[in-house]
Amino acid sequence: MAKLLVIEGRNAGAEYAIPPGKPVIKLGRSKTSDIQVLDPQASRNHAEIALLEGRFMLRDLGSANGTYYRNMKLVGTIELRPDSRFRIGGTVYELLTEPGEVPAVALPLPADSLEIIPPEAVKQQRKQADAIIAAQENVVPVDGSTPLPSKLKAVKPVTPRDPSEGDLPSLEQL
């Protein structure tokens, strides 16, 4: 039976079986996804793997941050071969199959199914994903920076006041 192995990401080492009788496997942050992607850069309904004529086909479902195959952004549908890796946010998956489970000859890769992304942009995206995950897990990133979650804002400290001092300051004065 084929399975997806998480190579990198929050749940690295996890394995997800791909049942042979299920024609489509949905991946995303949604709890209703067949495989829940534990990555803040994943969309609720991010991608799907379809089994067509014995071949595993990967397709992005119009996700906000894209699905990457060989460090190229997926814009169509591609065939996943045994040991193929793809990335959703900072999570990397690898397709593992049994010998003879997929046809020996791969389909040609459509020229318009991938968009080349410069390596610097890929590094920047991974750094952003690591910072988001670190902020969620209250972990300081390796580079020593301390990301501030976008919902939090720095505020001026307020010193306690004696009630006998009169009116309290307005919000604008703080």
Side-chain angles (χ1 to χ4, degrees):
M1 179 186 311
K3 56 188 168 183
L4 283 180
L5 173 65
V6 180
I7 302 295
E8 293 178 31
R10 189 169 169 187
N11 56 337
E15 291 184 6
Y16 300 96
I18 300 176
K22 188 156 176 114
V24 177
I25 303 293
K26 303 267 187 189
L27 294 96
R29 268 191 3 257
S30 171
K31 292 182 185 213
T32 61
S33 297
D34 297 306
I35 297 176
Q36 189 176 16
V37 181
L38 303 176
D39 193 300
Q41 290 189 325
S43 295
R44 286 184 191 93
N45 298 301
H46 197 100
E48 68 182 12
I49 297 174
L51 183 59
L52 299 170
E53 299 177 9
R55 300 173 190 277
F56 294 96
M57 308 301 289
L58 175 65
R59 179 170 75 104
D60 186 86
L61 297 174
S63 64
N65 294 315
T67 302
Y68 292 81
Y69 177 76
R70 296 183 182 164
N71 284 335
M72 293 179 279
K73 188 173 184 178
L74 182 63
V75 291
T77 301
I78 56 145
E79 179 182 5
L80 285 177
R81 300 298 298 161
D83 304 322
S84 291
R85 291 184 178 189
F86 64 95
R87 181 173 58 83
I88 294 175
T91 305
V92 178
Y93 295 90
E94 182 175 346
L95 176 67
L96 303 175
T97 60
E98 299 291 326
E101 191 170 5
V102 295
V105 178
L107 294 171
L109 186 63
D112 62 348
S113 64
L114 298 172
E115 175 185 338
I116 296 173
I117 305 294
E120 305 80 42
V122 172
K123 287 178 187 175
Q124 182 62 29
Q125 288 173 347
R126 283 192 173 193
K127 190 173 183 177
Q128 288 172 344
D130 289 344
I132 291 169
I133 291 168
Q136 289 179 343
E137 296 176 352
N138 295 323
V139 174
V140 177
V142 176
D143 65 4
S145 65
T146 52
L148 186 62
S150 60
K151 291 182 181 178
L152 299 179
K153 295 181 181 176
V155 294
K156 292 191 319 188
V158 177
T159 55
R161 294 178 44 94
D162 183 350
S164 65
E165 291 181 14
D167 294 336
L168 294 174
S170 67
L171 290 176
E172 290 79 26
Q173 293 172 328
L174 293 176

